[in-house]
Amino acid sequence: MVREVAEKQDVIPLLGEVFRQHGFSGTSLSQITLRTGLGKGSLYHFFPNGKKEMAEAVLDDVEEWFETHVFSNLRNNENPKAGIKQMFADVDFYFCSGNRICLLGSFALDDTRDQFATRVNTYFTSWCEALADTLKRNGLAPKKATDTAEFTVASIQGALVLARSQDDPKVFTRVLKCLQNQLIG
Amino acid sequence: MVREVAEKQDVIPLLGEVFRQHGFSGTSLSQITLRTGLGKGSLYHFFPNGKKEMAEAVLDDVEEWFETHVFSNLRNNENPKAGIKQMFADVDFYFCSGNRICLLGSFALDDTRDQFATRVNTYFTSWCEALADTLKRNGLAPKKATDTAEFTVASIQGALVLARSQDDPKVFTRVLKCLQNQLIG
DNA sequence: GTCTATAAAGCGATAGAC
DNA sequence: GTCTATCGCTTTATAGAC
């Protein structure tokens, strides 16, 4: 770290990296110290409730990014097709073209989910609903729009899993392209 | 446990349950003892290399199940459409209609993957290749078959993630139905 | 094959000096 | 705000009795 005095705002992205790498239960405070350059003293100064509060701060950060970039664009873009196209561009950017996993997806798979149940649920629900709204405005029947949105969000998550399993981010790019074709051909 | 003397074969499914619940790094030997009823002495008798060897035994078991039921059926079924239909039935059965996660997908997401890299890679590769083979025999062009198989396997994984995030297994059932429609609708 | 006892290391968390 | 020292607990793993 360059600065001697850290700011919480600068630490959160680094925490996100550590949690993405090791998972929540696989992340130890010593690994956090390694990545952030902050000792336990500083970490507990910023996050009095320890590791769980650190993860919550990261999840807040993730939610805010998706709300600002993805969800609000889906809801507010007057051109549904353009909104969907923009979603795929943002998603590709955020997940670094398949080189980055989804922290909420990672938390969802084991019992970490239960510690962050509301956040995990809300993130995916918001995404599905915002996309379903856009699909309706693009002419899909309500039920069809809901199902298609759910299917799309699921496939994006699975593409991240499969890309990592093969250690090949191109898998993610291919699935994204296929999904975009299905939605706005 | 009813039996006083355990057999390795009986222990492996229980190990699978524990790893599915907590993830690999979230699983401790004391939790394994709770679930299996076996003390450290017995566990290290069966698995001298400890937790990693236990996970490997579980992964071997999973691979064998999928090879026997899913992959070989896809490769050998003379009727491609029937083979695909059977795959979805087997997958729905194995993942308990969305109530069970994929251990290899769970391992893939964090750095647990690196400890089981070959197994994780091979499982998904075998699945994609077997499905692509069937899709070709059903009339798809080679490249289209490969892409569709990859897309399908990814979506199945993502459906498991999304179902757990919503604590709603029905999500899994809906995505599976949608995929089957796309393939042999 | 199973158990208990034990070791050494690492864990999350706290206290207090600076 | 940052650090070091420390606490109490859990971890993986081993040893040895039965």
Side-chain angles (χ1 to χ4, degrees), chain A residues 107-175:
Chain A
F107 283 15
L109 275 181
D110 62 35
D111 58 3
T112 305
R113 177 196 64 174
D114 305 331
Q115 281 187 69
F116 304 97
T118 306
R119 275 188 175 80
V120 170
N121 189 310
T122 303
Y123 169 81
F124 288 110
T125 302
S126 302
W127 194 346
C128 288
E129 285 179 357
L131 180 55
D133 177 74
T134 310
L135 290 170
K136 276 179 227 164
R137 289 188 288 112
N138 198 39
L140 257 57
K143 189 189 163 0
K144 178 77 177 167
T146 308
D147 283 356
T148 304
E150 179 177 88
F151 179 89
T152 304
V153 171
S155 299
I156 292 170
Q157 290 297 310
L160 293 168
V161 173
L162 194 59
R164 257 197 74 86
S165 81
Q166 308 294 90
D167 198 14
D168 179 10
K170 292 199 189 74
V171 173
F172 181 69
T173 307
R174 283 194 292 269
V175 172

Side-chain angles (χ1 to χ4, degrees), chain B residues 36-119:
Chain B
T36 61
L38 295 174
K40 296 189 214 300
S42 300
L43 291 171
Y44 276 93
H45 171 73
F46 289 130
F47 309 99
N49 289 324
K51 200 167 86 160
K52 189 176 181 202
E53 192 175 343
M54 300 181 209
E56 270 167 350
V58 174
L59 295 186
D60 282 345
D61 204 46
V62 174
E63 282 164 31
E64 201 210 333
W65 195 94
F66 272 83
E67 178 56 40
T68 306
H69 293 82
V70 181
F71 306 159
S72 76
N73 163 65
L74 283 171
R75 283 192 290 260
N76 301 327
N77 198 317
E78 290 181 12
N79 181 338
K81 281 193 176 59
I84 289 168
K85 203 170 172 185
Q86 185 62 43
M87 179 193 85
F88 282 110
D90 284 336
V91 164
D92 186 59
F93 170 79
Y94 187 83
F95 294 115
C96 302
S97 303
N99 284 294
R100 195 191 208 192
I101 65 147
C102 177
L103 205 56
L104 284 129
S106 160
F107 283 14
L109 275 180
D110 62 35
D111 59 4
T112 305
R113 177 197 62 174
D114 305 332
Q115 282 188 68
F116 305 96
T118 305
R119 276 188 175 81

